[in-house]
């Protein structure tokens, strides 16, 4: 597996692959890889000849009081995992390689960022959209895979690619979960054993809430389970992110809740 730190190196590599007729599948990540990330690689393999991953903890998508500095970084372990997974190359740029000192261009979605995570993390999706645009322009993949765990992110990236005529097919991948239902996440490493035990209950409560359609009861149960704070627990339509009281194959329950300093998110489709 090739490891590239600069744009010019990875562009040369991709140029060589494309001139041999290879199609490129891309899986962008922030590292601290887990099985959820690796499942995206499996999905990408179904659609392309070779797989390229990126590992970049994007500073501009973190708010000032968020966990950028303590976000887990385990590059050597990540590289070993990607090698065993048959990834052809990994792009691991330094911050300076991605952002010049005067990066004046922003990508500002004009809709869909005032709800769900966007409401609670101002500026987050602008940071995501800029880095994803840059990465897609550097890697120029045929397909790129993003997890449904970050459903609003996947939704905005699909719009972004359509709006900016980026020639990459965006594929959404299902959420990989631990045995007790906890959505896998690099941030799960932050959880103490007691918090980890509580964390698994979120998914169970979401399933129950989808069945009984009672959000207030769901919120009470999340707090009773031991969560410290709920950012949101909502039913929304998955094709426009609007709140809904209808239950059909377009309905999804979305949640974000805090355990100590760790913020967990999850979502489930009504027809899952
Ligand atoms: P991150 O490293 O957290 O930025 O995630 C990189 C990609 O992996 C994003 O597209 C996420 O949605 C996806 N991802 C993270 N956790 C999971 C999971 N448990 N199941 C599936 N995809 C995931």
């Amino acid at each position: 597996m090739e490891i590239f730190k600069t744009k010019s190196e990875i562009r040369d590599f991709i140029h060589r692959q494309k001139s041999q007729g290879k199609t490129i599948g891309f899986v962008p990540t922030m590292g601290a890889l887990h099985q959820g990330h690796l499942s995206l690689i499996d999905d990408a393999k179904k659609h392309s000849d070779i797989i390229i991953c990126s590992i970049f903890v994007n500073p501009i998508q973190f708010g000032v009081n968020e966990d950028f500095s303590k976000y887990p970084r385990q590059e050597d372990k990540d590289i070993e995992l990607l090698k065993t997974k048959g990834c052809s190359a990994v792009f691991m740029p330094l911050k300076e390689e991605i952002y010049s000192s005067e990066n004046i261009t922003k990508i500002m979605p004009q809709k869909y960022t005032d709800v769900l995570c966007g409401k609670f993390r101002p500026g987050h999706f602008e940071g995501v959209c800029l880095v994803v645009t840059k990465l897609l322009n550097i890697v120029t993949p045929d397909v790129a895979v993003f997890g449904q765990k970050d459903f609003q992110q996947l939704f905005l990236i699909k719009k972004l690619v359509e709006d900016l005529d980026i020639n990459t097919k965006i594929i959404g991948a299902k959420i990989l979960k631990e045995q007790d239902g906890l959505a896998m996440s690099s941030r799960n490493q932050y959880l103490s054993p007691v918090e980890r035990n509580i964390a698994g209950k979120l998914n169970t409560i979401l399933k129950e809430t989808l069945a009984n359609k009672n959000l207030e009861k769901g919120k009470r149960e999340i707090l009773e389970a031991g969560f410290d704070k709920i950012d949101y627990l909502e039913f929304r339509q998955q094709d426009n992110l609007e709140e809904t009281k209808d239950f059909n194959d377009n309905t999804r329950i979305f949640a974000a809740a805090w355990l100590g300093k760790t913020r967990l998110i999850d979502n489930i489709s009504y027809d899952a």
Side-chain angles (χ1 to χ4, degrees), residues 109-119 125-126 152 156:
Q110 298 300 302
K111 217 177 149 184
Y112 307 116
T113 54
D114 57 346
V115 297
L116 299 172
C117 287
K119 181 172 165 190
F125 287 117
E126 285 82 354
Q152 191 174 15
L156 286 164

Side-chain angles (χ1 to χ4, degrees), residues 112 151-159 238-239 241:
Y112 307 116
F151 194 90
Q152 191 174 15
Q153 167 176 284
L154 168 65
F155 182 94
L156 286 164
I157 289 168
K158 283 184 176 162
K159 296 276 181 215
Q238 58 187 27
D239 65 353
L241 301 188

Side-chain angles (χ1 to χ4, degrees), residues 36-69:
H37 294 115
L38 302 182
S39 75
L40 304 192
I41 297 180
D42 288 330
D43 283 0
K45 280 182 181 165
K46 292 179 197 148
H47 300 272
S48 53
D49 297 326
I50 68 158
I51 305 301
I52 295 177
C53 283
S54 62
I55 297 178
F56 180 62
V57 186
N58 177 33
I60 68 163
Q61 73 184 66
F62 289 78
V64 275
N65 296 317
E66 292 185 1
D67 54 345
F68 174 69
S69 55

Side-chain angles (χ1 to χ4, degrees), residues 28-31 34 36-37 39-40 71 145-150 153 173-176 183-186:
T29 79
M30 297 205 299
H34 50 68
H37 294 115
S39 75
L40 304 192
Y71 196 82
V145 184
F146 293 84
Q148 287 182 342
K149 172 168 171 275
D150 302 278
Q153 167 176 284
K174 72 174 176 42
I175 307 174
L176 236 77
M184 290 183 185
S185 165
S186 307

